[in-house]
Amino acid sequence: MRRRHANLTRIRTLDPERDWLDIYQTMLRLEFPWDMKLGLNLAFNRSFSIPAIAAVHTATGELTERTQKRVDDTGLLMYEMVLNGFDQPRGREALRRVNQIHRPYDIPNEDYLYVLGCLVVIPTRWLQRYGWRRPCCHERRATHLFYRELGRRMGITDIPGTYEEFETWFDAYDAAHLTPNDDAAAIERATRSLLLGRIPRPLAPLGDGLVSAMYDGRLRRATRVGAPAWPVRAGLHVALTLRARLQRWLGAPPKTPLFAAGIRTKTYPDAYEISELGPQPSATADRPGDQQEKCGNGGHGRVDAPSW
């Protein structure tokens, strides 16, 4: 048990106001690798389902017609920012690329805030329910601060000041705006494979039902997904709860951090350049906030490709 809690013991010695990147990296790479990846997948699925956001994505065709590349590109950009932070060359380059991709679209600040809220709240709630332990206050604070910094560098304003305040804002916005719409349904059908890939092979025949069981009622209604049979919902809950207990009592933290050996994706099996990720915008003139993201040229060049 002492080995199992070694990372938590170290995290509690850190200051989340200063060490938020270290703490968030530890959560993703050592403490909850499978759960965090799944939680982030669920967060992205939800963020695409607000009618206004879904309409933008179906109009571009990135998620419905070039699904695999869009999924891989999003994962790689997140990978670069989490593993390198926002001040190292590759992290800055990834952030600059994110801003370039979004620049052509007139997206309201509240919609950006909602996407940010999905990334803060949804994985945290998954851990609170199915993680081998619940995230501590340092981890919740670090998660909030990581995405607050990401939002600040994307020019997003009015970001709530604490995790709890963001959670309250998120729930209110989600309740008001996550409504049934055909665009969200089309995106969910196209991206369902993202979550099907997380289903263990022996359970593959139940894959569609298990994915639907991971959604709450509001998300299922928004994406026009039918409720799975209650034995599937109950079985998933029991299996995830049992898994968490076994990890708590029998498991040990992984010796090798997630992504330590690089990652592979279907789109980029060997290497990629950050400038290749995402659609190529028609206009690439930098806005004022991009200047600090451009500093240095170490973000360029090909590297072994990660797999999200």
Side-chain angles (χ1 to χ4, degrees), residues 69 72-78 80 90 94 97-98 100-101 267-268 272-281:
K69 183 178 187 304
D72 288 347
D73 289 354
T74 299
L76 291 169
L77 289 168
M78 286 296 298
E80 292 286 355
R90 292 200 65 82
R97 186 73 191 110
V98 168
Q100 287 177 334
I101 291 168
T267 310
Y268 311 98
Y272 69 94
E273 291 185 17
I274 292 175
S275 61
E276 295 175 344
L277 304 178
Q280 298 300 314

Side-chain angles (χ1 to χ4, degrees), residues 18-65:
R18 180 193 64 226
D19 303 318
W20 46 267
L21 179 59
D22 185 355
I23 295 171
Y24 191 68
Q25 288 172 337
T26 301
M27 292 174 65
L28 176 63
R29 304 187 70 196
L30 287 169
E31 284 292 88
F32 313 105
W34 186 87
D35 295 278
M36 286 286 287
K37 288 173 66 177
L38 180 59
L40 287 167
N41 290 161
L42 290 169
F44 277 114
N45 273 29
R46 196 178 197 93
S47 72
F48 300 147
S49 301
I50 292 286
I53 298 174
V56 171
H57 284 294
T58 54
T60 65
E62 290 299 310
L63 277 168
T64 53
E65 299 171 21

Side-chain angles (χ1 to χ4, degrees), residues 277-291:
L277 304 178
Q280 298 300 314
S282 57
T284 57
D286 294 323
R287 66 183 188 183
D290 288 337
Q291 294 305 313

